[in-house]
C-alpha cells in the first residue's frame, strides 16, 4: 500500500493477547509510509517498539528488563554513529505512562493502546526534539514557497514571514514532517522588517505562516497574532494587514476581537475547514468538528460582520462516502464563502492517510470536485455581485491591461479594475463598483470624494 520503499528498519516485540498482535500489525502499517520496513533483529533497528501487556503480574517488570537490554543496543548503535528510537506501546504504556521514561530514560516515546495511529506524529515529534527532520526525502511542499516568491514587483504589497512549521499533523499533509515544528519570529524583528518595507512604499503586508495564527513570538505589546497585528498597525504607512494560513484551532478570542477593533486588519480570512463531515474530520486529525467550525465563524462574524471568508477543501479523502461529501456541501451553504481553494485528495508518501483503507476512485473525486467547485463558484459570484453599487477603498497596485487602467484590491481581496492615473498606485482610493465577474470587480473613481 505504501508508495515509499523502506529506508528504515522497524523491530516490534509483541507481548500478550491477540489484540496486541493485531495492534502491532496496524503499527507496522501506519509506519510503512514513513519508510519503515520490518526487521527481526533489534540491534539494527532504527525504531524499536515494545507492544506490551500487563495481564500477568510480572509483565511490567519484564518490560523494564527488556528495555534495559534494548538500551544497551541503542548505546551500541549510537557508538557506531546510528540513532535508535525506542517506543513503548500497549497496556503497560497505558498503566505506567510517563513513569516509563523516568525509570528508563532511553525510552523516547510512550503510546497507549488505541493510539497507534498517532505513532507517525509521535515519532516525528521525537525526531524534531533531537533536531532531526523525518524523511527529508519527501517531495517538498512547493505551495508555500511559491506563495512567498510571489512578491509584488511594484512594492505596494509585500509578504512577510512571521511563522513556520506545523504541529497539527493533519493525516493527509506532509508539512509537519518536512517543515518541522511551529516556530515564530520575534515580533521586534518582524516590526523592523515591516518598517523598512513601509519606508520603501509598501502599504499592505500579508503575514505568512503555515499556521500563522499559532504565532506566539516574543512581543511586549500583547499575545499572539492579535498583539503582532496591533503592533504593526501602528507603523506609519502600513495601512493594511492580512495573514495566511490559519487553523481553526488557533483562532483565539484575542484575534477575533482584533478583527473588530484594528482598522488595518482587513476583513478577509482564509480559514480552511477541509471537510464538513465529522467522521472525515476525525480521520484527518483536524481537531475540530463541522459544528465547532460553524460556531467559530459565527463568533468571527459577530466581531466583524462584513468579513469575507475563504477556505481549503479536500474531496475524496480515504473513506469519504456520498453522505460525507453532502455534509461538506451543507457546511459550505451554511458558511457562505467569498473564495476558496479546492483539492482532490492526493496520496502523499509518508503521510498516515496514504496508507488508510478506502482510497477513493479518481472518477468519484472528479465528480465531487466539479460539484464542489460549482457551489463555491456560485458563492464567489454572489459575493462579488453584492459589492456592485458600493464604494470600496481600493489600494491600487499596478497598471492594468488597458491604457489608463489601474488594478488594485478591495478590503475583501477582490481585484478591482478602474480607469485611474498612474500616480494613484500605492494609494487607497474610494472606487464605486459598477460590475462584477467571478474573479474581479470593475468600478470608477468617485472624484467628489477624493479631491486631487
Ligand atoms: N491532498 C489534497 N490536498 C491537500 N492539501 C494538503 N495536502 C493535501 C493532499 N495530500 C491541501 C489542504 C491544505 C492546502 C494547503 O493543501 O487543503 O489546506
Ligand atoms: Fe499543518 Fe495545514 Fe498541513 Fe494540517 S494542512 S498538517 S494544519 S500545514
Amino acid at each position: 500500500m505504501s508508495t515509499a520503499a523502506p529506508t528504515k528498519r522497524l523491530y516490534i516485540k509483541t507481548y500478550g493477547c491477540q489484540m496486541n498482535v493485531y495492534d502491532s500489525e496496524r503499527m507496522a502499517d501506519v509506519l510503512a509510509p514513513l519508510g519503515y520496513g520490518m526487521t527481526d533483529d533489534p540491534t539494527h533497528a532504527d525504531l524499536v517498539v515494545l507492544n506490551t501487556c500487563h495481564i500477568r503480574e510480572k509483565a511490567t517488570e519484564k518490560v523494564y528488563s527488556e528495555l534495559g537490554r534494548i538500551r544497551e543496543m541503542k548505546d551500541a548503535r549510537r557508538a557506531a554513529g546510528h540513532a535508535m528510537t525506542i517506543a513503548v506501546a500497549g497496556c503497560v504504556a497505558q498503566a505506567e505512562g510517563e513513569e516509563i521514561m523516568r525509570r528508563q530514560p532511553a525510552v523516547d516515546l510512550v503510546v497507549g493502546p488505541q493510539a497507534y495511529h498517532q505513532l507517525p506524529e509521535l515519532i516525528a515529534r521525537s525526531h524534531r526534539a533531537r533536531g532531526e527532520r523525518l524523511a527529508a526525502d519527501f517531495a517538498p511542499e512547493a505551495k508555500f514557497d511559491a506563495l512567498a516568491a510571489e512578491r509584488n514587483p511594484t512594492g505596494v504589497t509585500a509578504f512577510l514571514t512571521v511563522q513556520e512549521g506545523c504541529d497539527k499533523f493533519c493525516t493527509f499533509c506532509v508539512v509537519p514532517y518536512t517543515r518541522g515544528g511551529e516556530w515564530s519570529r520575534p515580533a521586534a524583528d518582524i516590526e523592523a522588517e515591516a518598517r523598512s518595507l513601509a519606508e520603501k512604499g509598501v502599504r499592505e503586508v500579508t503575514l505568512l505562516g503555515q499556521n500563522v495564527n499559532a504565532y506566539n513570538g516574543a512581543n511586549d505589546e500583547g499575545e499572539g497574532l492579535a498583539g503582532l497585528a496591533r503592533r504593526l498597525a501602528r507603523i506609519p504607512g502600513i495601512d493594511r494587514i492580512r495573514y495566511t494560513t490559519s487553523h481553526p484551532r488557533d483562532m483565539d478570542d484575542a484575534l477575533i476581537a482584533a478583527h473588530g477593533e484594528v482598522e488595518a486588519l482587513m476583513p478577509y480570512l482564509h480559514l480552511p475547514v477541509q471537510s464538513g463531515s465529522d467522521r472525515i474530520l476525525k480521520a484527518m486529525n483536524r481537531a475540530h468538528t463541522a459544528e465547532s467550525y460553524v460556531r467559530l465563524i459565527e463568533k468571527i462574524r459577530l466581531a466583524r460582520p462584513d468579513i469575507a471568508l475563504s477556505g481549503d477543501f479536500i474531496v475524496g479523502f480515504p473513506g469519504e462516502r456520498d453522505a460525507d461529501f453532502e455534509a461538506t456541501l451543507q457546511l459550505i451553504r451554511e458558511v457562505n464563502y467569498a473564495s476558496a481553494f479546492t483539492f482532490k485528495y492526493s496520496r502523499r508518501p509518508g503521510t498516515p492517510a496514504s496508507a488508510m483503507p478506502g482510497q477513493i476512485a479518481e472518477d468519484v473525486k472528479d465528480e465531487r470536485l466539479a460539484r464542489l467547485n460549482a457551489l463555491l463558484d456560485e458563492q464567489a459570484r454572489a459575493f462579488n455581485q453584492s459589492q456592485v453599487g458600493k464604494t470600496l477603498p481600493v489600494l491600487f497596485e499596478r497598471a492594468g491591461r488597458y491604457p489608463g487602467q489601474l488594478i488594485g484590491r478591495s478590503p475583501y481581496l477582490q481585484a478591482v479594475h478602474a480607469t485611474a492615473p498612474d500616480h494613484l498606485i500605492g494609494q487607497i482610493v474610494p472606487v464605486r463598483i459598477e460590475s462584477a465577474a467571478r474573479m474581479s470587480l470593475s468600478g470608477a473613481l468617485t472624484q467628489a470624494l477624493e479631491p486631487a
Side-chain angles (χ1 to χ4, degrees), residues 83-389:
M84 178 193 278
T85 300
I86 304 177
V88 180
C91 306
V92 172
Q94 170 95 335
E96 301 270 297
E98 304 276 293
E99 176 61 20
I100 297 175
M101 285 152 112
R102 271 192 295 276
R103 266 189 73 178
Q104 180 47 273
V107 172
D108 297 281
L109 49 110
V110 174
V111 50
Q114 279 90 49
Y116 55 79
H117 59 278
Q118 288 175 359
L119 262 177
E121 172 175 343
L122 293 169
I123 286 165
R125 286 181 191 280
S126 118
H127 281 239
R128 281 177 186 178
R130 295 203 296 257
E132 294 165 20
R133 292 278 164 84
L134 198 63
D137 48 334
F138 288 166
E141 188 66 296
K143 184 184 155 88
F144 299 104
D145 299 323
L147 195 59
E150 204 180 86
R151 288 172 192 263
N152 193 309
T154 65
V156 170
T157 65
F159 290 103
L160 185 46
T161 298
V162 304
Q163 185 275 343
E164 277 180 16
C166 177
D167 285 345
K168 304 300 189 289
F169 290 92
C170 300
T171 54
F172 51 79
C173 184
V174 295
V175 168
Y177 303 100
T178 54
R179 286 306 177 96
E182 288 173 1
W183 171 84
S184 299
R185 269 179 88 187
D189 293 2
I190 297 165
E191 180 178 338
E193 191 174 340
R195 279 188 191 279
S196 102
L197 288 169
E199 281 159 18
K200 291 180 196 130
V202 167
R203 306 292 302 275
E204 173 178 306
V205 287
T206 299
L207 311 180
L208 289 183
Q210 264 116 28
N211 271 274
V212 72
N213 60 340
Y215 177 80
N216 67 356
N219 187 5
D220 47 20
E221 306 285 327
E223 293 287 297
L225 192 63
L228 182 67
R230 288 177 195 274
R231 183 164 174 167
L232 299 182
R234 282 200 290 273
I235 299 174
I238 299 295
D239 298 319
R240 290 182 162 192
I241 299 170
R242 306 179 185 278
Y243 58 92
T244 198
T245 279
S246 297
H247 193 289
R249 208 166 87 187
D250 295 318
M251 205 64 214
D252 62 17
D253 287 343
L255 186 54
I256 295 173
H259 271 284
E261 293 163 12
V262 180
E263 207 191 324
L265 205 49
M266 288 292 99
Y268 173 93
L269 177 62
H270 180 65
L271 196 62
V273 67
Q274 315 296 357
S275 169
S277 155
D278 289 345
R279 209 173 61 80
I280 297 298
L281 288 169
K282 189 155 185 257
M284 288 176 164
N285 191 30
R286 286 289 296 178
H288 60 76
T289 62
E291 163 86 13
S292 69
Y293 179 87
V294 170
R295 293 287 91 82
L296 180 61
I297 298 292
E298 281 170 1
K299 236 164 123 179
I300 296 164
R301 281 190 165 136
L302 218 57
R304 182 78 206 225
D306 65 331
I307 200 156
L309 292 164
S310 167
D312 290 344
F313 302 89
I314 295 176
V315 295
F317 185 82
E320 186 185 69
R321 303 181 192 130
D322 282 340
D324 299 307
F325 176 63
E326 292 299 333
T328 300
L329 297 180
Q330 188 48 39
L331 177 138
I332 291 168
R333 286 185 203 106
E334 229 172 305
V335 170
N336 199 6
Y337 287 90
S339 75
F341 301 87
T342 59
F343 305 89
K344 281 195 286 183
Y345 170 71
S346 85
R347 278 170 105 159
R348 304 302 305 272
T351 59
S354 70
M356 285 182 186
Q359 299 286 329
I360 305 296
E362 216 49 34
D363 58 334
V364 175
K365 288 185 197 169
D366 287 333
E367 192 249 345
R368 287 179 186 164
L369 185 69
R371 288 182 60 202
L372 181 75
N373 284 340
L375 176 59
L376 287 163
D377 270 10
E378 192 187 304
Q379 293 191 344
R381 277 178 198 280
F383 179 73
N384 286 349
Q385 197 60 41
S386 74
Q387 310 296 335
V388 174

Side-chain angles (χ1 to χ4, degrees), residues 17-57:
C17 68
Q18 202 50 40
M19 264 312 291
N20 267 16
V21 173
Y22 176 81
D23 281 355
S24 291
E25 285 167 11
R26 296 287 77 73
M27 287 188 221
D29 285 349
V30 299
L31 290 168
L34 291 172
Y36 286 97
M38 295 295 288
T39 174
D40 293 332
D41 178 5
T43 59
H44 290 111
D46 298 286
L47 172 61
V48 171
V49 179
L50 298 190
N51 191 9
T52 62
C53 169
H54 71 166
I55 202 112
R56 282 172 303 108
E57 240 172 80

